[in-house]
Amino acid sequence: MCATTLAALHSGDTATIVSIHAEEALHLRLLALGFRTGKRIEIIRKASFSGPLQVRIGTTDVMLRRIEAAKIKVLKS
Amino acid sequence: MKRIALLGMPNTGKSTLFNRMTGGAARVGNWPGITVELLSGKILLGGDMVEIIDLPGIYDLHGFSDDEQVVRHFLHDNVPDLALVILNTTQIERQMSLLLQLKQLNINFVVMLNMADEAKKFGITVDVTKMSALLELPIFLLSAKYGSGYPEALQAITRALRYPTPGMAEQLRSQLEQDEHIEEEMARVLQHSVQVPARLSDQLTEKLDSVLLHPWLGLPIFFAVMYLLFQGIFIFGQPIQAGVATGFTWLREAALVPLLGGLPQAIQGLLLDGIYNGVATVAAFVPIIVLFFLFMAMIEDSGYLSRAAFLMDALMARLGLDGRGFVMLLMGFGCNVPALMGTRVMRSRAMRLLTMLVIPFSLCSARLQVFIFFTAALLSAKAAPVVLFSLYLFSFATAILTALIFKSRFKNSEPFVLELPPYRFPTLRQMVLRGWVEVRHFLRRATKFIVAGVVMVWLLTHLPPSAVPASHDTIAGMIGSALQPIFAPIGINEQLTIALIFGFIAKEIVIGALAVIYGLSGTALSGVLGHQLDWVQAYSFMLFTLLYTPCLATVATLQSESKQTTFTLLSLVWSLGLAWLVSFAFYQGARALGY
């Protein structure tokens, strides 16, 4: 168990969301997509050339950029 | 008339349900945010006519993107008698929040848990009776795609419409800000009525993704798929097009010429060499258009476009765009107009404008007709598809160049967060419906622009009456000669210049216009063009056609979407200027090299 951001995780890792530090619009979109404190999140893969991440929360797969992922604090399990 | 609004998150099947209810043809795709316009249809329900409105998908009612505002304003201004809330059952644990937000609005509701077929496959079970009791709302399981659960849902809708509307709550926004309450309520309902397996068992999507999104195989596979697609369209479509064209020529000789023989010479000419030749030459491309859109529908519905966004986002980010912009470019291959409207899902205006600036370079199906005609006329069967593919690469290259040049003027920091839906396979019904929509769209354009266009071309090439048709003394000849100083350096002759001028209205007219100018149609026209032009001239012509303003409808959409005349002018001037420069560089370069 160690605290880090979503961007620092590798594919195959799972973690728990600790907090989201994003501006209001992005925060609302993330909430609507299921990003909530305490939710488990799995990194499915990372695109090459520093491309986006594919993550899974519950039954939803979401892609997001590393910049956005860096705004999400997680606890790696 | 009573009004029903379809509400739900993006990509939950609202349009599929809308089509099933109205028999209509809203565009359906496995891509969040495909509905950007409000579509409405009227049906008979329980003895009364009822209007059904398909609203764009929204994630929450607080939203700041254009489509979310559209929905909010719609609900404010047109209180529906019934809101049909559609949730994706496979994602119910997060979509419930929207339902609870909506529930506070105090409208009549019927809830549809759609994609029941997929949920079953994933092992998600929903106790509908329990959920209905907890939420105090009528809830139904449904598969809008296959139709199961539909009759029961329709009955419930008819019943619900009998009750009067409770009326819209006044303070919409303040009501909506009770997120905490929604969280608790959500947990309570879900805990008691839904069972989700610990891990989803969608093996197929996992397996496909491990190949299609492979770190370094993903992109080559993507381009290979694209190449095969266009190769397929050319190989299957071109012979059909040639066959249909021959059929039209036969019809003309066998039936129309004897039938119209009694009419005066000039009228005969206008009807046969003008309207018939022009329209028939364009109409011969209908099978290719249908084929193209069947392929497009398959890709759009499958969910592969979201994968393309994932694969290309790294490159697009360096261009000041994002993966969605790339998908819009791909959608622009069908028609630029809906692709331009699709940019509404972007919140940052700068990114939206930059995306709208690159979309017109996307090689749309109307331009495809011109290229298929020219490549088939001038090149060997082996070289033609390769040349066609090179034009698609040029289309991408100019889009990239445009973004690179203008990205500093349209700086933005739009976040990129997008759902990745599972792969889905379109039903035959959906694909046929889609093909039909495109044919109808084509016929509408045909009656509006193409007939008027070819009549104009015929008049220009036959007036004044003293001149020999299509000679230097006609109006068209004079315009062509006057513009030669501009077009001669890029290898485009007077006849082609006239066709290009009319191509400004719509690219479908280009081939029709050439048919009228040369007084020939189908294979005869190909023959003459093949004789008169060499491949360097033809390629220069195709490059110009690819890059200059796509059509009037695109210009009008640029204006209505940007609401900024300077932006529309920038797009016009830039595409015309770039078209000339690229054709000039290619033509002079090729000639200098001795071709």
Side-chain angles (χ1 to χ4, degrees):
Chain A
M1 287 275 218
C2 62
T4 173
T5 75
L6 190 57
L9 298 183
H10 300 287
S11 49
D13 287 354
T14 56
T16 307
I17 297 179
V18 175
S19 57
I20 299 170
H21 304 273
E23 67 279 6
E24 200 196 353
L26 175 59
H27 198 130
L28 284 173
R29 175 57 53 92
L30 288 172
L31 277 178
L33 284 166
F35 288 74
R36 280 164 209 273
T37 306
K39 279 258 189 178
R40 272 171 64 82
I41 187 164
E42 184 185 352
I43 315 291
I44 306 298
R45 61 171 58 82
K46 290 175 140 181
S48 26
F49 310 111
S50 312
L53 280 73
Q54 179 187 350
V55 300
R56 182 168 299 162
I57 295 191
T59 52
T60 306
D61 277 21
V62 175
M63 60 180 123
L64 74 171
R65 279 189 183 158
R66 290 170 202 221
I67 304 177
E68 272 83 59
K71 293 172 183 164
I72 299 168
K73 288 232 171 355
V74 295
L75 207 58
K76 194 180 160 191
S77 47
Chain B
M1 194 187 307
K2 296 225 170 178
R3 197 184 288 127
I4 302 177
L6 300 188
L7 283 163
M9 289 199 183
N11 207 12
T12 50
K14 288 180 296 301
S15 298
T16 310
L17 180 63
F18 176 82
N19 287 347
R20 190 167 279 283
M21 291 180 83
T22 62
R27 188 166 169 181
V28 178
N30 190 3
W31 166 257
I34 202 142
T35 303
V36 285
E37 284 174 290
L38 302 183
L39 276 177
S40 76
K42 296 184 180 71
I43 57 163
L44 196 66
L45 253 189
D48 295 310
M49 284 304 278
V50 178
E51 186 179 23
I52 297 172
I53 296 118
D54 183 22
L55 293 169
I58 51 166
Y59 285 108
D60 60 308
L61 276 172
H62 303 280
F64 298 109
S65 67
D66 285 2
D67 42 347
E68 284 163 336
Q69 281 172 20
V70 164
V71 172
R72 218 162 35 223
H73 290 158
F74 178 86
L75 290 177
H76 255 304
D77 302 340
N78 313 276
V79 182
D81 297 282
L82 175 70
L84 213 52
V85 182
I86 295 107
L87 305 183
N88 176 350
T89 316
T90 63
Q91 301 180 342
I92 189 146
E93 4 82 274
R94 74 178 172 81
Q95 300 213 341
M96 180 73 64
S97 63
L98 180 68
L99 175 61
L100 294 172
Q101 278 187 348
L102 288 166
K103 196 184 163 208
Q104 294 175 332
L105 295 183
N106 211 12
I107 321 175
N108 269 334
F109 284 106
V110 170
V111 181
M112 303 279 156
L113 300 182
N114 194 19
M115 308 198 184
D117 50 308
E118 251 178 40
K120 203 170 151 193
K121 212 171 68 195
F122 289 166
I124 298 172
T125 53
V126 179
D127 185 339
V128 177
T129 327
K130 209 164 213 170
M131 191 184 274
S132 290
L134 285 167
L135 285 167
E136 295 162 357
L137 288 172
I139 298 175
F140 296 87
L141 276 171
L142 171 78
S143 166
K145 187 168 162 184
Y146 298 106
S148 60
Y150 180 65
E152 294 84 353
L154 209 57
Q155 275 174 15
I157 293 166
T158 316
R159 265 200 309 278
L161 272 178
R162 290 196 202 121
Y163 302 108
T165 315
M168 189 77 154
E170 281 289 286
Q171 283 114 1
L172 179 73
R173 251 205 92 94
S174 65
Q175 268 199 344
L176 291 173
E177 307 221 324
Q178 303 170 1
D179 273 348
E180 274 180 40
H181 168 71
I182 283 180
E183 296 245 350
E184 284 167 27
E185 178 84 2
M186 205 157 92
R188 188 175 72 92
V189 173
L190 288 172
Q191 199 188 349
H192 289 96
S193 59
V194 179
Q195 280 182 319
V196 180
R199 232 187 101 74
L200 277 187
S201 59
D202 189 8
Q203 298 286 340
L204 183 66
T205 292
E206 298 257 315
K207 271 187 204 146
L208 278 174
D209 272 347
S210 67
V211 179
L212 296 177
L213 295 181
H214 190 275
W216 39 272
L217 282 179
L219 278 175
I221 289 176
F222 172 77
F223 284 105
V225 167
M226 283 294 160
Y227 181 75
L228 286 177
L229 191 74
F230 297 128
Q231 186 104 1
I233 289 166
F234 190 87
I235 290 171
F236 292 120
Q238 205 274 325
I240 304 177
Q241 181 256 327
V244 175
T246 313
F248 277 128
T249 313
W250 174 83
L251 185 68
R252 177 194 153 115
E253 297 307 324
L256 292 174
V257 172
L259 199 69
L260 299 174
L263 293 171
Q265 204 65 39
I267 307 273
Q268 244 188 72
L270 173 64
L271 288 177
L272 284 175
D273 300 333
I275 298 175
Y276 186 79
N277 267 7
V279 174
T281 309
V282 182
F285 283 92
V286 170
I288 290 190
I289 298 298
V290 175
L291 194 69
F292 176 84
F293 279 104
L294 285 181
F295 281 135
M296 276 294 274
M298 235 178 344
I299 291 196
E300 254 179 56
D301 288 2
S302 71
Y304 191 49
L305 285 185
S306 303
R307 272 74 189 175
F310 181 82
L311 290 169
M312 294 298 286
D313 183 65
L315 171 68
M316 299 306 275
R318 287 167 181 82
L319 301 174
L321 300 166
D322 69 22
R324 290 174 302 179
F326 183 73
V327 171
M328 294 306 151
L329 274 177
L330 293 181
M331 286 191 177
F333 283 171
C335 175
N336 291 177
V337 172
L340 286 170
M341 290 162 90
T343 60
R344 284 182 195 169
V345 293
M346 297 174 181
R347 291 157 201 239
S348 144
R349 184 166 164 83
M351 176 183 275
R352 202 180 154 202
L353 288 179
L354 187 60
T355 312
M356 282 170 48
L357 200 61
V358 303
I359 286 174
F361 293 111
S362 183
L363 195 168
C364 69
S365 57
R367 279 173 270 192
L368 179 66
Q369 298 174 16
V370 180
F371 301 153
I372 288 183
F373 191 87
F374 268 79
T375 48
L378 279 119
L379 299 160
S380 68
K382 218 171 165 168
V386 180
V387 169
L388 193 62
F389 190 66
S390 78
L391 288 163
Y392 277 99
L393 294 182
F394 250 108
S395 161
F396 275 130
T398 42
I400 289 173
L401 177 75
T402 303
L404 275 179
I405 290 176
F406 289 98
K407 74 170 180 181
S408 55
R409 278 195 56 183
F410 296 97
K411 268 206 171 70
N412 65 78
S413 57
E414 166 107 348
F416 177 65
V417 180
L418 194 71
E419 240 185 284
L420 212 56
Y423 291 99
R424 297 187 178 119
F425 295 97
T427 59
L428 190 66
R429 186 175 168 274
Q430 283 173 327
M431 292 187 40
V432 170
L433 210 62
R434 178 71 192 281
W436 165 236
V437 173
E438 297 305 335
V439 172
R440 217 173 48 185
H441 176 75
F442 174 85
L443 293 176
R444 230 188 344 246
R445 273 175 80 109
T447 47
K448 206 152 102 198
F449 292 129
I450 301 170
V451 173
V454 293
V455 168
M456 276 291 287
V457 177
W458 189 85
L459 290 175
L460 290 182
T461 49
H462 286 77
L463 289 177
S466 57
V468 179
S471 71
H472 285 284
D473 306 320
T474 60
I475 303 177
M478 287 186 264
I479 298 174
S481 327
L483 290 173
Q484 270 304 288
I486 302 173
F487 286 99
I490 57 175
I492 292 176
N493 67 24
E494 291 168 19
Q495 287 89 340
L496 294 180
T497 304
I498 298 294
L500 281 179
I501 292 174
F502 282 93
F504 190 84
I505 302 168
K507 289 288 167 292
E508 287 94 338
I509 304 179
V510 171
I511 298 295
L514 285 173
V516 175
I517 294 167
Y518 286 100
L520 297 164
S521 66
T523 26
L525 179 62
S526 314
V528 169
L529 285 174
H531 207 68
Q532 204 182 60
L533 305 172
D534 64 6
W535 73 269
V536 179
Q537 282 171 302
Y539 200 76
S540 175
F541 176 79
M542 288 194 282
L543 282 176
F544 196 90
T545 306
L546 169 66
L547 301 178
Y548 87 114
T549 325
C551 64
L552 270 188
T554 303
V555 177
T557 309
L558 279 169
Q559 176 63 26
S560 64
E561 294 295 311
S562 71
K563 295 182 182 66
Q564 201 183 320
T565 314
T566 46
F567 176 78
T568 311
L569 283 175
L570 170 72
S571 169
L572 265 173
V573 171
W574 168 246
S575 55
L576 269 171
L578 188 67
W580 193 86
L581 284 174
V582 169
S583 296
F584 181 78
F586 169 79
Y587 184 73
Q588 297 297 341
R591 286 286 187 252
L593 289 172
Y595 287 107

